[in-house]
């Protein structure tokens, strides 16, 4: 049996360009997994193995790898930083026990870091912080620590102090041991010396060390008492307290360095071993029954217990579909049959492999605490639970956001149609936030996603990986409709033509529901005027109509349907008759209920240099943006606003022009809001034209 206390399942997450992938490369080099470090800017990083990643210098897919450090086994997932791929971060955090949040020493807490941090808080993942790129111009460790406190409302526990800044950054001082680590060769991470603390830093070290001890001893009452009496705790006692506080999310041990220059990465690895939890120290996942209700039992990390595993990522490669799986309890052996609780079918495990970016090592079996990739899974998708067929249970289902943007695509030649269909099917399996639909009016294939870049990359993957050349239409916004008035109405469906007829009468109100409530149904019928067995037919019929609104054909949101009364016929009434009555009632009443068009509003977070703030705000106002806040930082200003998606197409190019290439932004879906009259008219006119042309 493997010793689980020696396991660490960790993820590395951060904003675009904070240096996650470079940090992962250095970790692999230090742990002896690779012998030559690849650079992101040369397009040679181990974990960025997709062409698109190498070209753009960004991570798109979470890559999994494993290595050894100090007798501990680490499963590392390098996650993307770009907002359009946050789904990858979210999925990865779900299955990790701990994380390393990487922040740029000069950029500080950037827009995307906030989103990732929020996800990590929701998933209750213990983290350590690594402030990277301290060798860059404008880098300031203390300012980033302050930002973590202010912007993320987190409690950073400073463990090291930097020696020198920018070009003079040579190493760090470890506050626990009061020793300085100084690196002499930027190309060799192992060439360091441990020295005494430089003279000019002694006061600062003592000051920060005191803060560290005060925060740490709060985890243990006996130690706190001794400390207040003037006895300093030993380093081992302090480590024990820091570990306890880190796992409880009371604070986040904070380190610094420069991954690119090979400084400070060892200390991060030591911190992962010392302070981040092993699989048995994390709250176990609650088990659910088939209906999604908690059963009160938990998937405890124990190889002896029944199998519980979560598929958190599907990746297609030359050997077929790889299903990345985190095993929570039990054991998986090669050739086992396991039950997919979502589909209710059993699947046979063809092969089990341990991943190292895109190369792999075959395994005979894997056990609780492992993260492995399975081959041979036919019907398993992201978020499905694999369980023991004799003792099934489901782990919490993953919820994915709805896409907000769609683009029509068509293959350039006829031969590519079938090829495109197969490729899109594979891509949907890999990424649940990506959807494919067919436009009923025009017969075009629509791809839907979380943003422009998201769809841009997908089209690129189609072209390169699957060799399907496609033409793209202009981006379409996913509008919605809702009602603003309450309507009380009645409808009778009668049909009499030889044999048994059809009869159903309903009296009802339709009114606006609360925002984001979706569809609510209530029946106030008493005395059996509409028998209970027909209620569900009425409820379902109305829900099926809501897919297409009466204004421009977009789905209807936030409506409450209340059945007040009605009538039925002992012979002629049926579920079908009430279904037809409900659908006709929908068409009759909804147009009278003050239908309104809603548009998706995005949370836009823009970083701009000081000189360009006025231009950026002016531009956001022109795009109908509502400015929420402006926060001045060391290197520029963060402007947060809400803006409609329809106005934000092509924004990145425009922002770069305004800020001479220095501005960056992130955007994520926030909510739906009513469309202004002039915009709504235009959208409705376009919808009517499309209808007329079909």
């Amino acid at each position: 049996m493997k010793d689980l206390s020696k396991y660490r399942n960790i993820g590395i997450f951060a904003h675009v360009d904070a240096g996650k992938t470079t940090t992962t490369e250095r970790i692999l080099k230090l742990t002896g997994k690779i012998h030559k470090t690849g650079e992101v800017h040369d397009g040679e990083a181990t974990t960025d193995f997709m062409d698109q990643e190498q070209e753009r210098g960004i991570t798109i897919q979470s890559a999994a790898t494993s290595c050894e450090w100090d007798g501990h086994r680490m499963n590392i997932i390098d996650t993307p930083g770009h907002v359009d791929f946050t789904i990858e971060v979210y999925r990865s955090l779900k299955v990790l026990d701990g994380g390393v949040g990487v922040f740029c020493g000069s950029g500080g807490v950037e827009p995307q870091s906030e989103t990732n941090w929020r996800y990590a808080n929701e998933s209750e993942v213990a983290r350590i912080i690594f402030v990277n790129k301290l060798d860059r111009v404008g880098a300031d460790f203390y300012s980033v620590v302050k930002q973590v406190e202010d912007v993320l409302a987190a409690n950073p526990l400073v463990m090291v102090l930097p020696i020198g800044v920018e070009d003079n950054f040579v190493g760090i001082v470890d506050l626990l041991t009061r020793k300085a680590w100084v690196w002499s060769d930027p190309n060799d991470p192992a060439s360091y010396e441990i020295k005494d603390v430089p003279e000019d830093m002694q006061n600062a070290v003592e000051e920060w060390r005191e803060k560290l001890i005060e925060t740490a001893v709060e985890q243990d009452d006996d130690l706190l008492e001794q400390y207040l009496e003037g006895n300093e705790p030993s380093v081992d006692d302090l480590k024990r307290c820091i570990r306890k506080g880190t796992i409880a999310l009371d604070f986040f041990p904070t380190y610094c360095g420069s991954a690119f220059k090979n400084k400070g990465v060892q200390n991060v690895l030591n911190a992962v071993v010392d302070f981040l939890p092993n699989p048995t120290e994390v709250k176990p996942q609650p088990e659910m029954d088939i209906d999604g209700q908690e059963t009160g039992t938990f998937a405890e990390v124990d190889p002896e217990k029944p199998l519980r595993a979560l598929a958190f990522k599907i990746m297609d490669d030359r050997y077929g579909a790889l299903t990345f799986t985190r095993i929570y309890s039990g054991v998986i052996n090669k050739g086992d049959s396991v039950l997919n609780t979502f589909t209710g079918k059993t699947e046979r495990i063809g092969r089990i492999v341990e991943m190292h970016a895109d190369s792999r090592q075959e395994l005979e079996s894997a056990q609780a605490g492992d993260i492995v990739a399975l081959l041979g899974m036919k019907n398993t998708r992201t978020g499905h639970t694999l369980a023991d067929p004799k003792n099934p249970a489901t782990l919490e289902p993953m919820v994915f956001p709805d896409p907000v943007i769609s683009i029509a695509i068509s293959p350039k030649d006829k031969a590519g149609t079938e090829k495109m269909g197969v490729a899109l099917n594979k891509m949907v399996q890999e990424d649940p936030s990506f959807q494919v639909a067919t436009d009923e009016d025009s017969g075009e294939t629509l791809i839907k996603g979380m943003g422009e870049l998201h769809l841009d990359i997908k089209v690129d993957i189609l072209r390169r990986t699957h060799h399907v050349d496609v033409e793209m239409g202009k981006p379409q916004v996913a509008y919605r409709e809702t009602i603003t008035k309450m309507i009380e109405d009645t409808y009778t469906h009668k049909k009499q033509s030889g044999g048994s007829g059809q009869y159903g009468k309903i009296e009802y109100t339709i009114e606006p529901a609360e925002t984001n409530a979706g569809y609510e149904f209530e029946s106030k019928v008493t005395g059996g005027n509409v028998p209970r067995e027909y209620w569900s037919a009425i409820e379902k019929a109305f829900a099926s109509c809501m897919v297409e609104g009466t204004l421009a054909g977009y789905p209807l949101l936030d409506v409450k349907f209340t059945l007040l009364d009605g009538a039925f016929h002992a012979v002629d009434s049926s579920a079908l008759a009430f279904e037809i009555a409900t659908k006709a009632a929908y068409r009759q009443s909804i147009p009278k209920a003050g239908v309104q068009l809603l548009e998706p509003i995005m949370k836009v977070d823009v970083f701009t240099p000081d000189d360009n703030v006025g231009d950026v705000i002016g531009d956001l106002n022109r795009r109908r943006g509502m400015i929420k806040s402006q926060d001045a930082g060391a290197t520029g200003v963060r402007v947060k606003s809400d803006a409609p998606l329809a106005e934000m197409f092509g924004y990145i190019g425009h922002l770069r022009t305004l800020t001479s290439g220095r501005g960056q932004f992130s955007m994520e879906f926030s909510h739906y809001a009513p469309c202004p009259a002039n915009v709504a008219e235009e959208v409705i006119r376009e919808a009517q034209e499309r209808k007329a042309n079909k």
Side-chain angles (χ1 to χ4, degrees), residues 546-586:
M546 285 176 62
V547 172
E548 192 174 325
T550 55
L551 204 58
Y554 291 105
L556 197 67
L557 289 183
D558 307 334
V559 175
K560 182 175 181 186
F561 180 94
T562 309
L563 185 62
L564 299 174
D565 204 358
F568 81 108
H569 187 281
V571 177
D572 291 351
S573 284
S574 63
L576 179 65
F578 277 101
E579 199 176 301
I580 296 169
T582 310
K583 287 181 175 173
Y586 175 88

Side-chain angles (χ1 to χ4, degrees), residues 654-666:
H654 202 73
L655 178 67
R656 284 183 180 146
T657 312
L658 285 177
T659 59
S660 316
R662 289 160 65 202
Q664 41 172 296
F665 86 111
S666 82

